[in-house]
Amino acid sequence: AHQLSESAIRAETAYAGLSRKELSEKAAATQNIIGGTVYEANRAVHNIEIPDSGDAERLARASDATKFVNGTGKNPFKDLSRDRLDLIIYDDSGRYTVNERRAASGEVGRQEYEWRKTVVAKAQDEYNRTGKLTHFFSDILEHYKSLPTIEQAQYPDAYEGQLEQLIELDYNYLTNKVEGKG
């Protein structure tokens, strides 16, 4: 908890003056470090990385994260909230190992996948019942607004406005009619 509190303070300070574009660039750079070609080129180094700490719990978590990213263990960040996961992922202070950050990113991916499965099932039901996807677009917009700022910055600038327009149209795909404002 203390480590996450420190990460929250660092994130607040680091993000305060950044534009959406700069946040997006930071996110892309981080994703390359923890999941891209840069990660793969340095995998062996990341696998032996140990936190500069005497805290047994912290050392065990880093070890568990390395096991997880190598397919031999459970994710130590399973079921942590999205906000907290993002604090770990985007904390480039060295307080977390790269494999901890990668494991946190893996949990975000797992949670996003589960959310998407649920929302797509609801969309199929909505379409079959009404011919519309208005609630589907509303669910997506609500989800988008719930994301941490650094994740929102990874979407196109007009994303929120486009979803709002689709909701407002209330389009019926079976009758090809706009049933809302449009």
Side-chain angles (χ1 to χ4, degrees):
H2 179 70
Q3 194 176 3
L4 286 170
S5 293
E6 289 175 346
S7 293
I9 292 166
R10 278 192 299 279
E12 188 175 326
T13 303
Y15 302 167
L18 297 181
S19 68
R20 181 182 174 90
K21 182 176 189 255
E22 290 168 327
L23 272 176
S24 177
E25 290 167 355
K26 177 177 178 46
T30 296
Q31 291 302 323
N32 193 37
I33 290 167
I34 66 173
T37 55
V38 174
Y39 177 83
E40 291 304 326
N42 295 292
R43 182 183 282 272
V45 172
H46 301 318
N47 285 340
I48 60 172
E49 186 180 8
I50 299 170
D52 184 16
S53 174
D55 181 356
E57 184 179 325
R58 184 148 180 254
L59 294 170
R61 186 177 59 236
S63 175
D64 290 346
T66 295
K67 289 174 188 169
F68 171 75
V69 301
N70 287 296
T72 60
K74 294 181 181 178
N75 194 332
F77 304 113
K78 186 168 179 0
D79 296 327
L80 201 61
S81 74
R82 189 84 171 241
D83 287 342
R84 289 180 174 204
L85 291 166
D86 277 4
L87 290 174
I88 296 166
I89 295 166
Y90 297 104
D91 187 332
D92 57 6
S93 69
R95 302 280 185 184
Y96 300 94
T97 67
V98 171
N99 282 343
E100 284 178 294
R101 294 169 70 198
R102 184 175 171 91
S105 181
E107 176 60 10
V108 164
R110 186 195 70 77
Q111 289 178 14
E112 183 70 16
Y113 175 75
E114 291 301 321
W115 175 82
R116 287 179 184 198
K117 278 191 341 188
T118 301
V119 80
V120 166
K122 285 174 57 180
Q124 289 173 328
D125 179 61
E126 177 184 10
Y127 178 82
N128 290 334
R129 283 183 303 99
T130 68
K132 299 178 185 183
L133 292 172
T134 307
H135 292 291
F136 170 67
F137 295 129
S138 293
D139 287 344
I140 293 172
L141 180 59
E142 180 181 329
H143 178 66
Y144 170 79
K145 287 180 174 182
S146 76
L147 295 174
T149 306
I150 196 160
E151 284 197 55
Q152 288 181 7
Q154 296 171 58
Y155 286 80
D157 290 340
Y159 189 73
E160 187 173 345
Q162 289 171 339
L163 287 170
E164 288 169 345
Q165 287 176 339
L166 289 167
I167 294 163
E168 193 173 297
L169 283 175
D170 195 29
Y171 190 77
N172 189 315
Y173 293 88
L174 296 177
T175 63
N176 292 320
K177 291 184 180 174
V178 172
E179 296 181 9
K181 300 174 187 173

Coordinates of all heavy atoms in Angstrom, one line a residue, residues 12 34 42 46 54 110 117 131 150 164:
E12 N 0.9 11.7 -10.2 CA 0.2 13.0 -10.2 C 1.1 14.1 -10.6 O 0.8 14.9 -11.4 CB -0.4 13.2 -8.8 CG -1.3 14.4 -8.7 CD -1.9 14.6 -7.3 OE1 -2.3 13.6 -6.7 OE2 -2.1 15.7 -6.9
I34 N 7.9 -2.7 -21.6 CA 7.4 -3.9 -20.8 C 6.7 -5.0 -21.7 O 6.4 -6.1 -21.2 CB 6.4 -3.5 -19.7 CG1 5.1 -2.9 -20.3 CG2 7.0 -2.6 -18.7 CD1 4.0 -2.6 -19.3
N42 N 15.8 -7.6 -23.9 CA 16.3 -7.6 -22.5 C 15.7 -8.5 -21.6 O 15.8 -8.4 -20.3 CB 16.2 -6.1 -22.0 CG 17.0 -5.1 -22.8 OD1 18.2 -5.2 -22.8 ND2 16.3 -4.3 -23.6
H46 N 15.8 -8.7 -17.4 CA 14.6 -8.5 -16.6 C 14.3 -9.7 -15.7 O 13.8 -9.6 -14.6 CB 13.4 -8.2 -17.5 CG 13.5 -7.0 -18.3 ND1 14.1 -5.9 -17.9 CD2 13.2 -6.9 -19.6 CE1 14.1 -5.0 -18.9 NE2 13.6 -5.6 -19.9
G54 N 15.0 -4.8 1.2 CA 15.1 -5.9 2.2 C 13.8 -6.5 2.6 O 13.7 -7.4 3.4
R110 N -6.1 -9.0 -18.9 CA -7.1 -10.0 -18.5 C -8.4 -9.3 -18.1 O -9.5 -9.7 -18.5 CB -6.6 -10.8 -17.3 CG -7.5 -12.0 -16.9 CD -7.2 -12.5 -15.5 NE -7.5 -11.6 -14.5 CZ -8.8 -11.4 -14.0 NH1 -9.8 -12.0 -14.6 NH2 -9.0 -10.6 -13.0
K117 N -15.8 -9.3 -23.1 CA -16.7 -10.5 -23.3 C -18.1 -10.2 -22.8 O -19.0 -10.5 -23.5 CB -16.1 -11.7 -22.5 CG -15.0 -12.5 -23.3 CD -14.7 -13.8 -22.7 CE -15.1 -14.1 -21.2 NZ -14.5 -15.3 -20.7
G131 N -32.6 -4.2 -32.3 CA -31.9 -3.8 -33.6 C -31.0 -2.6 -33.4 O -30.5 -2.1 -34.3
I150 N -4.1 8.1 -18.3 CA -3.0 7.7 -19.2 C -3.6 6.6 -20.2 O -3.1 6.5 -21.3 CB -1.8 7.2 -18.4 CG1 -0.6 7.1 -19.4 CG2 -2.0 5.9 -17.7 CD1 0.8 7.1 -18.8
E164 N -20.5 9.5 -28.1 CA -21.7 10.4 -27.7 C -22.6 10.6 -28.9 O -23.9 10.5 -28.8 CB -21.2 11.7 -27.2 CG -20.6 11.6 -25.8 CD -19.9 12.8 -25.3 OE1 -19.7 13.7 -26.1 OE2 -19.6 12.9 -24.1

